Amino acid sequence: MNIILLGPPGAGKGTQAQRLQEKHGLVQLSTGDMLRAAVASGSEIGRKAKAIMEAGDLVPDSVVVQIISERLDDPDTAPGVILDGFPRTTAQAEALDAMLAEKGLNLDAVVELTVDEGILVNRIEKRAAETGGARADDNVETLRNRLAVYREQTAPIVPYYNGKGMLKRVDGMAAIETVTAALEETLGLA
Ligand code: ADP
């Protein structure tokens, strides 16, 4: 089973993807995590992505499309993947469709975690405090830009998948366990 988790920064995609990975053996593919690893390693991709990520902007589509395409070729992803943070633009969604077709893979569901934007800012401030500022982009100023980028560049992929009849919605504001249970129900994993 291959699924996409959609939702703005702080919606809980990463938390839920990890829980689904642990409980159901699906593999979380977080482009944010992969890019942060690239930055930490000082690779060429990381050097290019660093400033873009710190500003809360999007790295070029071609970069993330290649990263995901390569990961999907790794045998450990065969049980299925949870895409977390990808696709983030309509061009990435179209590239994903093309690569899945080419690799003979299916997309089973796209789930949007719906949120209250006012609460998101509090969540991210809390995450920044808890992780001791481990993420350079977890501050209020960058968060506002990440939310604007989400609205402008990522939100349009919601109607893209809705038009294909693939979109499902889960309330991302409920308690962590409740959101997981709703996801499992929606995905037929319960
Ligand atoms: P968020 O908490 O905003 O969901 P992520 O960890 O998913 O954060 O992503 C952090 C940053 O990594 C983004 O703000 C962006 O700069 C970059 N990034 C992650 N995924 C993508 C993508 N699919 N396309 C472009 N940039 C991306």
Side-chain angles (χ1 to χ4, degrees), residues 1-3 5 12-31 33-34 71 76-84 176 179-181 183-184 187 189:
M1 163 177 282
N2 298 306
I3 64 172
L5 282 187
K13 300 183 299 289
T15 301
Q16 295 301 330
Q18 272 170 27
R19 291 173 64 88
L20 293 177
Q21 170 166 285
E22 277 158 27
K23 292 178 75 177
H24 301 285
L26 299 168
V27 179
Q28 175 193 18
L29 296 189
S30 159
T31 42
D33 286 350
M34 293 186 236
R71 267 309 266 128
D76 71 294
T77 62
V81 297
I82 306 161
L83 295 171
D84 158 16
I176 290 177
V179 176
T180 307
L183 282 168
E184 289 172 331
L187 296 169
L189 294 169

Side-chain angles (χ1 to χ4, degrees), residues 29-32 34-35 45 58-73 83 85-100 102-103 161:
L29 296 189
S30 159
T31 42
M34 293 186 236
L35 289 167
I45 285 179
L58 297 183
V59 305
D61 289 335
S62 57
V63 171
V64 286
V65 166
Q66 192 183 339
I67 292 179
I68 288 290
S69 176
E70 286 175 5
R71 267 309 266 128
L72 288 173
D73 292 336
L83 295 171
F86 178 92
R88 235 179 177 91
T89 63
T90 305
Q92 289 177 22
E94 288 166 355
L96 176 64
D97 280 346
M99 83 171 77
L100 290 175
E102 190 190 298
K103 295 178 196 296
Y161 287 115

Side-chain angles (χ1 to χ4, degrees), residues 4-175:
I4 295 173
L5 282 187
L6 272 179
K13 300 183 299 289
T15 301
Q16 295 301 330
Q18 272 170 27
R19 291 173 64 88
L20 293 177
Q21 170 166 285
E22 277 158 27
K23 292 178 75 177
H24 301 285
L26 299 168
V27 179
Q28 175 193 18
L29 296 189
S30 159
T31 42
D33 286 350
M34 293 186 236
L35 289 167
R36 278 185 288 279
V39 171
S41 77
S43 68
E44 198 192 334
I45 285 179
R47 284 197 302 276
K48 285 185 188 152
K50 189 170 188 286
I52 298 173
M53 291 175 72
E54 282 174 5
D57 293 324
L58 297 183
V59 305
D61 289 335
S62 57
V63 171
V64 286
V65 166
Q66 192 183 339
I67 292 179
I68 288 290
S69 176
E70 286 175 5
R71 267 309 266 128
L72 288 173
D73 292 336
D74 289 339
D76 71 294
T77 62
V81 297
I82 306 161
L83 295 171
D84 158 16
F86 178 92
R88 235 179 177 91
T89 63
T90 305
Q92 289 177 22
E94 288 166 355
L96 176 64
D97 280 346
M99 83 171 77
L100 290 175
E102 190 190 298
K103 295 178 196 296
L105 298 171
N106 285 323
L107 184 60
D108 296 282
V110 179
V111 188
E112 181 188 17
L113 289 177
T114 58
V115 298
D116 175 329
E117 270 205 24
I119 297 174
L120 285 183
V121 178
N122 295 338
R123 271 198 186 180
I124 301 222
E125 280 178 326
K126 193 161 162 260
R127 180 165 79 186
E130 281 169 4
T131 57
R135 273 184 62 170
D137 61 351
D138 268 354
N139 58 73
V140 172
E141 196 187 326
T142 307
L143 173 63
R144 290 197 200 289
N145 188 43
R146 282 154 62 204
L147 283 171
V149 167
Y150 182 82
R151 257 183 251 115
E152 285 159 26
Q153 302 194 54
T154 308
I157 70 180
V158 172
Y160 176 84
Y161 287 115
N162 201 18
K164 291 173 178 279
M166 301 201 68
L167 189 73
K168 297 167 192 289
R169 288 195 170 90
V170 163
D171 175 14
M173 293 282 103

